[in-house]
C-alpha cells in the first residue's frame, strides 16, 4: 500500500473518529463574568480565556467524546444580576457546572444558588469567605486574600517596618481584605496606625491620604480593584507622600499601570506568577506553562494573558480533569473536583480536599514591583 493511500485512510479514520466523538451530547459549562462595568478588567480576560480554552479542548477531540459548550453571561459586576443569571444557567441552560463570578461580592451572592441547586461552582474571586468555611458545591481558583496579606506582611517584617496604614474599598473584596489585614497583623508584629475605607465609585481619596500622612505609618496598604487603587496612587503622588505604597493582587495586570501612569512607579503587590513569567528562573516548573498561556492569549486577542484570565483557564481545566476522571453528572464532577491533587495551573499548584476548596498555598504568589511601567520580581 502506498504512503499516499495510507495517509488517506488515516485521514478518513480520524474524521470518522471525530464524528463519533461529537455524536455524544455536549457538556454545558456556564460562565458568569463581569465583562462590562467597573470590574470589566477582570471579567473580559476571564471570558476570553474560557472561550479560548474550550475551543482548544474541542479541537483536540473534546472530553471523553463530549464537546464542551460554554454558555456565558455578563453580570456587569452586579450581585443581583449574577444571582438571576446563575439560576438561569442551572434551570434553563441545564449546565453541568458554573465558572465565575468575577468578584467576591457576586460570588458570595451566588453561593446559595450553587448549594441549593447542587451544582459545582468554581469562583474566580479571591475573598477567603467564598471557601472558608467550606461549602460542599463551591470551589475557587483565585488565590486567597489571606495568602496575599501574608506575602506583604512577610516583606514588611523582613524590612523592620511595623506601623502600617490600611485603606480598603467598601465592597466584598475590600471587606475581606481588611478583615485579613487586621486578623494577621499581630502574627507579624504589625501595628495598624490608620484604618480607613473608600467607596468603589469614589474619584478622590486625598482626605484619607492626608489623614494617613499625619500618622506614623511606615507603609500604606491599599486593598481594592481598579480604578480606585489607581486614583489612590495618583493622589498619593499629588500629595507628595513618600511612604511606600502596597496594593493587593486585585490590580495585578498591566491595566493598573496604564491607569496609574507614572504614579504606579515603585508600588509593590503580591501577584500570581503569570505577569512575570519571563523573569522566573528556569527551575520554576510553572515557567513554561505560563509562557505558553501568555503566548496563546496574545495570539488570540493581541494582548498579554494575565492573572485574571488565568483564573478562568484554571477553572476550565480543573473541570476538564474532573470529567476525565469520571465526573459525568453535577454530583460526580463535584466529587472528582474535590479529589484534585497537584494540578499545575496558571494561579499555582492546586490540591483540593474535603477541608480545602481553595487548594493553593503562599507559593502561588510572588511579590512584584512596578519599574519603568512594567512588573519586576521583588527579591
Amino acid at each position: 500500500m502506498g504512503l499516499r493511500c495510507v495517509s488517506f485512510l488515516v485521514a478518513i479514520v480520524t474524521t470518522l473518529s471525530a464524528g463519533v466523538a461529537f455524536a455524544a451530547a455536549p457538556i454545558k459549562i456556564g460562565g458568569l463574568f463581569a465583562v462590562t462595568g467597573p470590574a470589566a478588567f477582570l471579567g473580559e480576560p476571564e471570558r476570553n480565556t474560557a472561550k479560548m480554552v474550550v475551543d482548544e479542548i474541542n479541537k483536540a477531540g473534546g472530553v471523553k467524546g463530549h464537546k464542551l459548550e460554554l454558555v456565558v453571561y455578563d453580570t456587569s459586576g452586579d450581585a443581583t444580576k449574577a444571582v438571576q443569571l446563575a439560576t438561569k444557567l442551572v434551570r434553563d441552560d441545564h449546565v453541568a457546572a458554573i465558572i465565575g463570578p468575577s468578584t467576591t461580592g457576586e460570588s458570595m451572592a451566588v453561593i446559595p444558588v450553587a448549594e441549593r441547586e447542587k451544582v459545582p461552582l468554581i469562583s474566580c474571586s479571591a475573598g477567603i469567605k467564598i471557601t472558608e468555611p467550606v461549602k460542599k458545591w463551591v470551589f475557587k481558583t483565585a488565590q486567597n486574600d489571606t495568602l496575599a496579606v501574608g506575602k506583604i506582611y512577610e516583606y514588611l517584617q523582613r524590612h523592620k517596618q511595623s506601623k502600617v496604614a490600611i485603606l480598603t474599598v467598601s465592597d466584598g473584596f475590600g471587606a475581606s481584605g481588611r478583615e485579613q489585614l487586621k486578623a494577621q497583623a499581630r502574627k507579624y508584629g504589625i501595628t495598624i496606625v490608620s484604618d480607613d475605607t473608600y467607596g468603589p465609585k469614589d474619584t478622590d481619596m486625598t482626605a484619607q491620604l492626608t489623614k494617613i500622612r499625619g500618622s506614623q505609618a511606615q507603609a500604606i496598604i491599599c486593598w481594592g480593584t481598579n480604578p480606585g487603587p489607581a486614583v489612590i496612587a495618583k493622589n498619593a503622588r499629588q500629595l507628595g507622600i513618600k511612604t511606600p505604597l502596597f496594593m493587593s493582587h486585585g490590580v495585578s495586570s498591566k491595566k493598573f499601570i496604564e491607569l496609574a501612569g507614572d504614579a504606579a512607579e515603585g508600588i509593590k503587590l503580591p501577584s500570581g506568577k503569570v505577569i512575570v513569567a519571563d523573569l522566573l528562573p528556569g527551575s520554576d516548573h510553572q515557567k513554561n506553562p505560563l509562557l505558553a498561556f501568555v503566548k496563546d492569549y496574545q495570539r488570540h486577542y493581541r494582548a498579554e494573558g494575565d492573572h485574571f484570565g488565568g483564573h478562568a483557564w484554571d477553572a476550565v481545566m480543573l473541570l476538564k480533569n474532573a470529567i476525565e476522571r469520571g465526573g459525568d453528572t453535577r454530583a460526580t464532577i463535584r466529587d472528582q473536583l474535590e479529589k484534585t491533587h497537584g494540578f499545575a495551573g496558571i494561579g499555582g499548584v492546586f490540591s483540593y480536599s474535603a477541608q480545602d476548596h481553595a487548594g493553593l498555598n503562599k507559593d502561588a504568589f510572588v511579590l512584584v514591583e512596578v519599574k519603568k511601567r512594567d512588573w519586576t520580581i521583588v527579591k
Side-chain angles (χ1 to χ4, degrees):
M1 186 178 294
L3 183 60
R4 183 174 297 178
C5 185
V6 171
S7 300
F8 177 68
L9 288 173
V10 169
I12 289 176
V13 170
T14 302
T15 302
L16 287 174
S17 298
V20 170
F22 287 145
I27 297 173
K28 286 188 177 181
I29 297 173
L32 293 175
F33 303 122
V35 181
T36 59
F41 73 99
L42 302 170
E44 185 180 10
E46 289 168 353
R47 185 272 315 271
N48 290 348
T49 302
K51 284 185 171 180
M52 179 181 80
V53 180
V54 166
D55 285 347
E56 290 175 351
I57 290 171
N58 287 337
K59 284 177 183 174
V63 186
K64 296 185 73 174
H66 296 269
K67 182 179 180 181
L68 295 184
E69 182 178 335
L70 184 65
V71 183
V72 175
Y73 293 124
D74 176 13
T75 66
S76 306
D78 183 291
T80 302
K81 192 174 177 182
V83 170
Q84 293 168 347
L85 293 172
T87 304
K88 179 175 170 58
L89 283 170
V90 174
R91 297 184 180 176
D92 297 343
D93 299 307
H94 305 291
V95 299
I98 297 174
I99 295 169
S102 303
T103 67
T104 297
E106 294 171 286
S107 296
M108 294 303 294
V110 164
I111 285 172
V113 178
E115 293 290 292
R116 182 182 64 242
E117 301 291 342
K118 296 180 171 52
V119 60
L121 174 78
I122 306 181
S123 168
C124 293
S125 317
I128 189 173
K129 288 185 176 180
I130 296 168
T131 52
E132 288 191 20
V134 170
K135 289 87 179 173
K136 181 174 181 179
W137 296 88
V138 181
F139 300 80
K140 68 198 290 287
T141 52
Q143 299 93 337
N144 273 338
D145 39 23
T146 183
L147 302 177
V149 169
K151 202 72 180 178
I152 295 174
Y153 278 176
E154 279 180 1
Y155 176 88
L156 293 176
Q157 190 178 49
R158 202 163 57 245
H159 288 80
K160 304 187 185 312
Q161 294 172 323
S162 60
K163 295 177 181 176
V164 305
I166 63 174
L167 183 51
T168 55
V169 65
S170 56
D171 63 12
F173 179 71
S176 184
R178 179 169 178 256
E179 190 173 304
Q180 287 303 313
L181 285 162
K182 294 169 73 173
Q184 295 189 55
R186 178 179 289 185
K187 175 183 173 184
Y188 291 91
I190 300 289
T191 301
I192 296 174
V193 297
S194 178
D195 174 8
D196 220 328
T197 61
Y198 65 95
K201 296 181 180 178
D202 287 357
T203 57
D204 188 318
M205 273 68 98
T206 54
Q208 293 95 323
L209 288 166
T210 300
K211 180 180 169 186
I212 289 170
R213 187 168 60 179
S215 74
Q216 295 180 314
Q218 296 169 305
I220 302 168
I221 303 174
C222 167
W223 216 264
T225 55
N226 291 326
V231 174
I232 288 169
K234 288 181 175 178
N235 287 164
R237 173 69 67 96
Q238 289 158 359
L239 290 169
I241 292 175
K242 303 295 184 186
T243 308
L245 183 54
F246 292 78
M247 295 286 172
S248 76
H249 52 317
V251 298
S252 62
S253 76
K254 284 282 181 68
K255 186 68 178 177
F256 170 69
I257 300 176
E258 181 186 319
L259 290 172
D262 291 340
E265 197 70 11
I267 287 175
K268 299 181 181 69
L269 56 101
S271 172
K273 296 177 181 177
V274 68
I275 63 171
V276 288
D278 57 329
L279 302 177
L280 294 173
S283 58
D284 191 310
H285 67 280
Q286 274 191 277
K287 179 168 185 167
N288 289 336
L290 292 176
L291 287 173
F293 164 66
V294 171
K295 188 176 179 181
D296 200 14
Y297 193 93
Q298 182 102 41
R299 184 166 57 84
H300 279 80
Y301 300 109
R302 297 184 179 180
E304 288 185 19
D306 65 17
H307 187 65
F308 306 115
H311 298 330
W313 191 97
D314 290 337
V316 173
M317 293 303 291
L318 285 163
L319 278 178
K320 173 181 179 284
N321 290 349
I323 295 168
E324 283 178 337
R325 291 197 303 268
D328 56 3
T329 65
R330 290 172 179 172
T332 52
I333 289 172
R334 190 219 78 87
D335 291 346
Q336 291 299 327
L337 275 174
E338 199 170 71
K339 294 176 182 174
T340 298
H341 182 78
F343 168 72
I346 304 301
V349 180
F350 290 84
S351 290
Y352 291 139
S353 69
Q355 295 77 38
D356 183 4
H357 283 194
L360 295 173
N361 60 38
K362 65 179 182 180
D363 292 339
F365 276 124
V366 287
L367 199 65
V368 298
E369 179 177 358
V370 181
K371 286 187 178 178
K372 297 180 181 177
R373 296 211 171 199
D374 205 352
W375 300 110
T376 59
I377 299 175
V378 176
K379 303 295 184 185

